[in-house]
């Protein structure tokens, strides 16, 4: 079985879908691993590192022979068209709002798995790419915020005077938010946080931060069975906005992490709230790729409003790619291992397995995930060999043959 790891084609993507450790384990399972030349450079993994682990360094053309393709981001239509029909493609597919791209992947005839759809169950924890990447994004958000802030985070008492501790407010206490809280606390900031999920309060307080929220009846019901935040009513959002507006005005750094699966990011910080902050304050918007939580956030840049910086870096985990790639590669390996027969080394995809059914997006030329079954898929045109015309017989040859046949019939010759 051939496993191919391509170089990511999007300019902002610095991660790679394999590591020397995962390559070594895949080859140990009997897989032949091909890594595209230069695929790991931005993650500080050289071709020599991959070769030493047992991989073959190849080119993009090797994708056409692969039984499995491991990627960070979903393949483009051009990339998917070069994959072997029936190949498995494991990647972060980001299908919401990108249905046309998913349809093009389906028409290529590959079985694509959306790693971000991995169910949050005990068995799948080691495969949870959202957690592994969000954890690093939360950490990096604090580092980026500190760099823009330009002042010390901890309180420092010196002979020359006292440096006050920075005040950091984290909005959204999921995986990214909790890591942001922990990192800001380690740096010495005074940290507060908010979230619409009741369970988050205890988690926030366990990290030494103060919880800020309107704790009414709607707040107590604001969590799905899967542990995700529900979209709150307009009334609740107004009350929460009123509460946090006064709080934000006193903060040095605000980090927003709120995302709702399949929906645009909710607007949490208005332009008025931004203007209320002191000069030199910083906001870091981790939801900028989904429209942003902060009004005025610009994807891929740091914008400034009245001397307040709004950090809108894309792909925050990619800014710490050397660590992000190692964790992401382990997520992919753990999932792929469940589909490799340990005795034969062959792929055995069980459609009834809850991991497979939750993540399989396309299969057999169509979209099979229940959330996207209504998306139309254009069938790839089958390549047919041109029909060969029978060569025309010469008239001079045909006439004698016809004459002979007539003579034979009249005289009885040839019997």
């Amino acid at each position: 079985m051939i496993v191919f790891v391509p170089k990511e084609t999007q300019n902002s993507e610095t991660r790679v879908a394999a590591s020397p450790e995962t390559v070594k384990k895949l080859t140990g399972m009997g897989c032949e691993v091909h890594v595209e030349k230069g695929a790991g450079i931005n993650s500080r993994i050289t071709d020599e590192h991959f070769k030493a682990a047992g991989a073959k360094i190849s080119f993009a053309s090797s994708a056409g022979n692969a039984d499995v393709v491991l990627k960070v981001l979903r393949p483009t239509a051009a990339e998917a068209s070069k994959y072997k029909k029936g190949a498995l493609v494991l990647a972060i597919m980001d299908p919401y709002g990108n249905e046309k791209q998913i349809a093009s992947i389906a028409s290529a005839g590959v079985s694509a798995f959306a790693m971000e759809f991995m169910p949050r169950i005990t068995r799948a924890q080691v495969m949870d790419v959202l957690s592994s990447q969000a954890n690093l994004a939360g950490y990096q958000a604090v580092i980026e915020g500190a760099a823009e802030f330009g002042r010390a985070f901890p309180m420092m008492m010196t002979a020359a005077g006292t440096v006050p501790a920075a005040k950091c407010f984290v909005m959204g206490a999921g995986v990214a938010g909790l890591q942001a809280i922990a990192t800001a606390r380690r740096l010495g900031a005074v940290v507060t946080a908010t979230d619409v999920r009741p369970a988050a309060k205890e988690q926030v307080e366990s990290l030494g931060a103060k919880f800020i929220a309107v704790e009414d009846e709607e707040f107590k019901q604001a969590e799905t069975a899967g542990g995700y935040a529900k979209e709150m009513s307009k009334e609740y959002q107004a009350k929460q906005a009123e509460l946090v507006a006064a709080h934000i005005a006193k903060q040095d750094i605000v980090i927003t992490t709120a995302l709702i699966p399949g929906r645009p990011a909710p607007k949490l910080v208005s332009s008025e709230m931004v203007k209320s902050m002191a000069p030199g304050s910083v906001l870091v918007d981790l939801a900028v790729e989904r429209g942003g939580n902060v009004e005025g956030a610009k994807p891929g840049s740091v914008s400034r409003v009245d001397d307040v910086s709004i950090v809108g870096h894309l792909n925050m985990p990619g800014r710490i790619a050397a660590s992000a790639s190692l964790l992401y590669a382990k997520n992919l390996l753990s999932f792929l291992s469940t589909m490799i027969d340990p005795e034969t080394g062959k792929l055995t995809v069980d459609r009834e397995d809850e991991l497979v059914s939750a993540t399989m997006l396309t299969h057999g030329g169509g979209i099979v995930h229940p959330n996207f079954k209504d998306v139309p898929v254009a069938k790839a045109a089958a390549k047919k060999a041109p029909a060969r015309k029978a060569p025309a017989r010469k008239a001079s040859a045909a006439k004698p043959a016809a004459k002979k046949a007539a003579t034979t019939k009249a005289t009885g010759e040839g019997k």
Side-chain angles (χ1 to χ4, degrees):
M1 181 175 68
I2 297 175
V3 177
F4 180 63
V5 181
K7 185 175 182 178
E8 296 298 316
T9 57
Q10 294 193 28
N11 293 333
S12 63
E13 188 50 70
T14 53
R15 292 169 290 177
V16 64
S19 68
E21 179 190 357
T22 61
V23 166
K24 194 171 185 179
K25 289 185 177 178
L26 284 170
T27 54
M29 292 183 213
C31 300
E32 185 178 311
V33 182
H34 292 247
V35 178
E36 186 176 350
K37 184 177 177 60
I41 291 298
N42 292 324
S43 294
R44 299 184 184 177
I45 306 174
T46 66
D47 292 344
E48 291 303 317
H49 288 142
F50 281 126
K51 284 177 68 176
K56 295 182 179 180
I57 305 303
S58 59
F59 297 93
S61 56
S62 297
N65 299 320
D67 302 293
V68 178
V69 179
L70 302 180
K71 285 190 95 284
V72 178
L73 303 181
R74 72 170 178 271
T76 63
E79 288 174 319
S81 67
K82 296 174 184 176
Y83 297 162
K84 182 168 70 175
K85 286 191 183 299
L88 306 190
V89 183
L90 279 59
I92 298 171
M93 294 292 174
D94 188 24
Y96 292 109
N98 296 300
E99 287 82 1
K100 287 184 179 180
Q101 290 87 333
I102 299 305
S104 68
I105 293 172
S107 65
V110 300
S111 296
F113 294 83
M115 291 299 297
E116 67 269 44
F117 286 175
M118 192 64 64
R120 289 192 163 175
I121 57 177
T122 302
R123 177 186 168 209
Q125 283 182 343
V126 71
M127 311 167 198
D128 189 350
V129 300
L130 288 182
S131 292
S132 74
Q133 301 305 290
N135 190 47
L136 289 170
Y139 162 83
Q140 191 64 19
V142 177
I143 301 303
E144 300 288 348
E148 287 293 330
F149 185 48
R151 299 176 189 171
F153 260 47
M155 183 181 75
M156 297 182 184
M157 299 180 70
T158 73
T162 300
V163 176
K167 293 182 288 254
C168 181
F169 182 42
V170 179
M171 304 185 74
V175 175
L178 291 174
Q179 183 55 250
I181 292 168
T183 302
R185 286 277 296 154
R186 283 193 291 265
L187 290 177
V190 175
V191 184
T192 52
T194 188
D195 195 283
V196 296
R197 295 171 300 121
K201 180 177 181 179
E202 184 179 346
Q203 295 170 321
V204 165
E205 292 176 343
S206 71
L207 292 171
K210 184 179 178 181
F211 192 71
I212 306 292
V214 175
E215 299 184 47
D216 61 7
E217 285 303 313
E218 185 175 359
F219 171 77
K220 295 174 183 177
Q221 317 259 333
E223 189 171 345
T224 68
Y228 293 98
K230 288 182 180 177
E231 186 171 15
M232 306 301 283
S233 68
K234 298 294 183 184
E235 293 76 13
Y236 182 90
Q237 289 180 32
K239 288 187 290 184
Q240 179 73 355
E242 186 179 350
L243 174 68
V244 302
H247 189 67
I248 285 176
K250 303 171 187 175
Q251 301 305 300
D252 297 310
I253 296 169
V254 175
I255 297 172
T256 66
T257 69
L259 284 169
I260 301 169
R263 301 277 189 90
K267 283 287 183 283
L268 303 179
V269 182
S270 66
S271 57
E272 289 76 18
M273 294 178 190
V274 174
K275 292 176 182 178
S276 74
M277 298 180 74
S281 300
V282 179
L283 297 106
V284 183
D285 192 342
L286 284 181
V288 71
E289 294 178 54
R290 281 289 178 186
N293 299 141
V294 181
E295 219 173 321
K298 295 181 180 178
S301 66
V302 178
S303 55
R304 286 179 172 78
V305 177
D306 294 343
D307 205 26
V308 173
S309 300
I310 306 175
V311 178
H313 294 318
L314 299 172
N315 188 16
M316 195 65 82
R319 297 178 74 83
I320 188 171
S323 297
S325 293
L326 298 182
L327 298 183
Y328 181 72
K330 184 66 179 294
N331 295 146
L332 293 183
L333 170 68
S334 300
F335 182 39
L336 180 57
S337 297
T338 67
M339 297 186 283
I340 298 177
D341 189 303
E343 294 183 3
T344 64
K346 294 182 179 179
L347 284 171
T348 54
V349 181
D350 180 5
R351 295 282 301 275
E352 300 301 316
D353 188 320
E354 60 184 325
L355 304 183
V356 172
S357 61
T359 58
M360 182 179 273
L361 200 56
T362 71
H363 180 72
I367 296 176
V368 297
H369 197 279
N371 291 2
F372 302 93
K373 273 193 171 181
D374 295 333
V375 176
V377 177
K379 298 296 181 184
K383 293 182 180 179
K384 295 182 179 180
R388 295 182 62 186
K389 294 181 179 179
R393 290 183 296 178
K394 294 180 180 179
S396 58
K399 286 181 179 177
K403 185 178 181 180
K404 182 178 180 182
T407 305
T408 300
K409 186 177 181 181
T411 62
E413 289 180 8
K415 288 183 181 179

